[in-house]
Amino acid sequence: MTGREPGRLAEPLAKVLGARTAGSLEKLGLVTTGDLLRHYPRRYGAPGELTPLAELSVGEHVTVMAQVRTATVRQMRSRGGAMLEAIVTDGRDSLQLTFFAKRAGVLRMHEDKLRAGRRGLFTGTVGDYRGRRQLTHPDYVLVGIDAADEDAALAEASRPIPIYPAVASVPTWRIGRAVRAVLDPLTEADVPDPLPVELRERRGLPTLLEALRLVHVPDTEADFQRGRERLRFEEALVLQTALARRRADHESLSATPRPARDGGLVAALDARLPYALTAGQVAVGQAVASDLARDTPMLRLLQGDVGAGKTVVALRAMLQVVEAGGQAALLAPTEVLAAQHARSLRALMGPLADGGMLTAADDATRVVLLTGSQGSKERRAALAEAASGAAGIVVGTHALLSETVQFADLGLVVVDEQHRFGVEQRDALRSRGERVPHTLVMTATPIPRTVAMTVFGDLETSVLSDRPAGRHETVTHLVPAGNAAWIDRVWARVREEVDRGGRAYIVCPRIDGDSEEEVDDVPLDALEADVAGEGPGAERPPLAAVMEVAEQLRATGALAGVGVSVMHGRLSSEEKDAAMARFASGEAPVLVATTVIEVGVDVPEATAMVILDAQHFGISQLHQLRGRVGRGDKASICLLVSHSEQGTLAHERLSALAATTDGFELAEKDLELRREGDVLGAAQSGGRNSLRLLRVVRDAKVIEDAREEATALVEADPALSGHPELAVAIADLLDPEREDFLTRS
């Protein structure tokens, strides 16, 4: 919250609840009354329903509903002082509660309250003492006992019990009491409603104050469900209205039209291609060409599985811009991929890329590469060609974002594998010209943020769903790392592929064994993955390391005598190029690597991918890694070697990957497992979430309905002058930084 919510909702909690209570709530990021009232219950305990105690894990911070079985105070002779030991139960399993004090009298109050048969909420961190699970000095509240009077106690005992997101020092019932202290005195006049009255009444939704009371103090399950439904729709409408305003603003921006022309570079490229374009490539190409011909900047997402032909679609778009007098920039996440793109584009274009040379075609342009590791002479030459316009296509990494890089007339920005870039980085390139360049974003696996924005409808989306002729689908298997026979079979299978003339990638999460912290190039979603997904309390062996695995494979086993090369982030560009050359030629048909080979590396002979400690990586990255094989005309295999056990999130994630190669399906599964992250900010997965109740996959229909309402509102009143409460809600949810992200993402 930014504190812009009007009236009573903007009041500091210190003023309403006192400094001490407000200070504890600040640990949860709650500063104003609005913050507190928007801190919704995570779940609700049913009246009289006990928590299954068998599901508790040691080390977990929990809040459980349980019934007191016994409570006894006794003196401790060995340590001195006194101890209260209480046993609570769910009717089947039990949990020990332990309190210590210097004098037994201090504990008598607890003993008196914790009478057999009473039920309560108990919170603390689960420990283990002599094989028994326990909570030491737990905080607790007894249902129906701690209320001020008998009527209140009866009412409290019959209601659903809100369970709030909490921390050890601020248990859920303290949050609940603070909520009631803030909520009870409020009137409708104190709580301006972002939903227009006509819309709210037409949809049968309660007012904001009614909804807050329904979720925080429900009498029945139907109450909190109704309150959540209204608040969920409000979130969707606020977001959709912000996006609708941004779409309207985007439509008002000017771009230089880059219309296609007959018989130009695009036609010459098509004539050179050794294959016919797929129906999907033709359809998407027509949509992109139409966008480029408009004077409004294109903002389009191109999704296609690995090997579906996105690069050719992008190249045709870039050449359309070049032949219309502009330049195109292709932004890649790694130097390996940037160099690969530059080589691939030149190979596809042939004489069309020889601008200024005797062998050049009439309309030829130049493709230049710009990376951070280039020598000064090579870099100066590339910068000069970009600035003069001699280079129609400039390929690079983040080095393209440097202020020293100038373009003569940047007309199109193509961003490959967009999840590897922050929104700010992409925007730095888009904002270069006097006019906004057209933007084409490509991805083989939409990560949660992209899927979220696609569902919200902020991007025009094209999908390449058909596979090029002759391509085989890669078969994926999950291999238990603890089974020696299975592991022996993995290496035997790799040897079979090598003996047939194939190549094999072996991917490890670390470079060497010196330090567990030295994980190479691990992306955001992998760091958020439940790395210790092997099961509660399991000891995870050290992660596989490139240098160690390569040495082992060279020395013994099925691959003894086979050429093994390595690739990782500490190698220089020359060393990486040499390793790839040995791999591609077959001199070293086994490449042990970190995730630097995740995107863009194209070796058609590669038919085997082994990913060690696969539980360490997220779905998006695993799918990208798998895409390095199956790029030729031979059947390919991907083996996910994992310590994960059935029932863990890691195992579920890997099983999902083995079950499908569909990128959008995998991204939706990723959303279900990890949520969509902050869809409005720089974070692209996990972390702080702008969405409190709305979920992108589950609530797609709510989002669709809100989009229709928001579009109509903005068309009728672009400034929202007739809906000031909605405008304030947008300003409050989307602080200036987040609101600006909507323009850029």
Side-chain angles (χ1 to χ4, degrees), residues 190-433:
D190 296 324
V191 187
D193 197 330
L195 297 189
V197 175
E198 183 276 329
L199 182 157
R200 191 181 70 235
E201 292 178 348
R202 173 163 44 84
R203 288 186 169 271
L205 299 173
T207 67
L208 176 55
L209 179 58
E210 289 174 322
L212 292 172
R213 286 180 173 152
L214 288 170
V215 296
H216 288 299
V217 197
D219 288 325
T220 64
E221 179 180 345
D223 282 348
F224 68 73
Q225 295 289 10
R226 183 165 177 256
R228 281 181 161 184
E229 179 185 353
R230 180 251 140 83
L231 294 169
R232 197 174 285 129
F233 184 84
E234 178 191 319
E235 284 189 8
L237 184 74
V238 170
L239 287 170
Q240 286 298 330
T241 305
L243 290 168
R245 294 174 78 182
R246 287 307 183 185
R247 284 193 299 273
D249 288 345
H250 186 76
E251 289 294 318
S252 69
L253 296 175
S254 294
T256 301
R258 313 286 180 172
R261 66 182 178 88
D262 296 332
L265 282 169
V266 177
L269 174 70
D270 290 348
R272 280 188 47 78
L273 293 176
Y275 47 78
L277 296 174
T278 66
Q281 286 174 316
V282 172
V284 172
Q286 290 172 344
V288 171
S290 177
D291 284 352
L292 293 173
R294 299 175 61 206
D295 59 5
T296 300
M298 173 178 72
L299 188 57
R300 183 173 289 274
L301 170 69
L302 173 57
Q303 192 273 344
D305 216 340
V306 287
K310 298 183 298 299
T311 301
V312 171
V313 172
L315 177 56
R316 296 176 83 245
M318 289 189 281
L319 291 179
Q320 178 175 328
V321 169
V322 170
E323 66 186 6
Q327 291 170 285
L330 174 56
L331 186 62
T334 67
E335 291 195 358
V336 170
L337 180 53
Q340 172 93 31
H341 272 312
R343 287 193 295 268
S344 297
L345 296 181
R346 289 175 185 138
L348 286 168
M349 293 171 64
L352 300 176
D354 292 339
M357 302 178 66
L358 292 176
T359 57
D362 291 341
D363 292 340
T365 185
R366 291 183 62 77
V367 177
V368 300
L369 176 66
L370 185 62
T371 66
S373 65
Q374 285 175 322
S376 58
K377 182 178 178 181
E378 187 180 6
R379 180 176 175 79
R380 280 197 303 269
L383 289 171
E385 292 195 54
S388 67
I393 299 175
V394 183
V395 183
T397 60
H398 61 279
L400 285 184
L401 306 175
S402 168
E403 292 294 332
T404 60
V405 181
Q406 299 297 322
F407 295 88
D409 183 9
L410 183 59
L412 172 65
V413 175
V414 179
V415 182
D416 193 19
E417 301 307 339
Q418 62 87 31
H419 65 284
R420 301 293 298 275
F421 289 95
V423 177
E424 304 99 319
Q425 289 178 301
R426 299 201 301 270
D427 184 59
L429 193 57
R430 286 181 53 203
S431 62
R432 280 304 173 78

Side-chain angles (χ1 to χ4, degrees), residues 491 506 548-562 564 590 592:
W491 302 127
I506 315 298
E548 293 175 353
V549 170
E551 193 60 36
Q552 291 165 5
L553 294 180
R554 291 185 185 112
T556 58
L559 293 172
V562 172
V564 176
V590 175
V592 185

Side-chain angles (χ1 to χ4, degrees), residues 330-636:
L330 174 56
L331 186 62
T334 67
E335 291 195 358
V336 170
L337 180 53
Q340 172 93 31
H341 272 312
R343 287 193 295 268
S344 297
L345 296 181
R346 289 175 185 138
L348 286 168
M349 293 171 64
L352 300 176
D354 292 339
M357 302 178 66
L358 292 176
T359 57
D362 291 341
D363 292 340
T365 185
R366 291 183 62 77
V367 177
V368 300
L369 176 66
L370 185 62
T371 66
S373 65
Q374 285 175 322
S376 58
K377 182 178 178 181
E378 187 180 6
R379 180 176 175 79
R380 280 197 303 269
L383 289 171
E385 292 195 54
S388 67
I393 299 175
V394 183
V395 183
T397 60
H398 61 279
L400 285 184
L401 306 175
S402 168
E403 292 294 332
T404 60
V405 181
Q406 299 297 322
F407 295 88
D409 183 9
L410 183 59
L412 172 65
V413 175
V414 179
V415 182
D416 193 19
E417 301 307 339
Q418 62 87 31
H419 65 284
R420 301 293 298 275
F421 289 95
V423 177
E424 304 99 319
Q425 289 178 301
R426 299 201 301 270
D427 184 59
L429 193 57
R430 286 181 53 203
S431 62
R432 280 304 173 78
E434 292 182 6
R435 286 191 163 194
V436 178
H438 300 282
T439 302
L440 179 65
V441 171
M442 300 194 299
T443 183
T445 306
I447 61 160
R449 183 177 189 280
T450 307
V451 177
M453 297 306 289
T454 302
V455 173
F456 285 134
D458 199 42
L459 298 172
E460 294 294 331
T461 304
S462 296
V463 178
L464 290 176
S465 56
D466 43 356
R467 296 175 63 84
R471 285 284 175 88
H472 290 269
E473 194 163 291
T474 299
V475 176
T476 305
H477 296 290
L478 186 52
V479 179
N483 188 312
W486 281 70
I487 297 303
D488 288 343
R489 178 57 187 146
V490 166
W491 302 127
R493 188 72 177 81
V494 170
R495 181 62 185 253
E496 291 169 8
E497 292 299 317
V498 170
D499 289 345
R500 283 198 288 261
R503 313 282 188 273
Y505 297 101
I506 315 298
V507 176
C508 306
R510 289 191 301 156
I511 298 174
D512 55 42
D514 290 344
S515 170
E516 286 255 346
E517 302 300 319
E518 199 162 5
V519 179
D520 179 61
D521 196 33
V522 179
L524 184 62
D525 66 344
L527 292 178
E528 288 173 346
D530 50 322
V531 176
E534 298 83 352
E539 290 188 11
R540 177 173 58 82
L543 297 173
V546 168
M547 305 310 292
E548 293 175 353
V549 170
E551 193 60 36
Q552 291 165 5
L553 294 180
R554 291 185 185 112
T556 58
L559 293 172
V562 172
V564 176
S565 197
V566 300
M567 171 86 83
H568 54 76
R570 291 190 211 148
L571 299 179
S572 67
S573 296
E574 292 77 12
E575 290 171 320
K576 290 176 182 175
D577 289 343
M580 285 306 303
R582 290 194 298 273
F583 179 64
S585 69
E587 177 187 345
V590 175
L591 182 66
V592 185
T594 59
T595 57
V596 293
I597 57 102
E598 176 186 349
V599 290
V601 175
D602 189 2
V603 179
E605 295 81 9
T607 56
M609 168 71 68
V610 178
I611 304 175
L612 302 177
D613 288 309
Q615 78 282 348
H616 185 78
F617 305 106
I619 286 178
S620 173
Q621 190 174 36
L622 289 168
H623 184 59
Q624 288 288 347
L625 289 167
R626 177 172 59 182
R628 297 312 99 209
V629 297
R631 305 179 74 83
D633 57 359
K634 296 180 181 178
S636 298

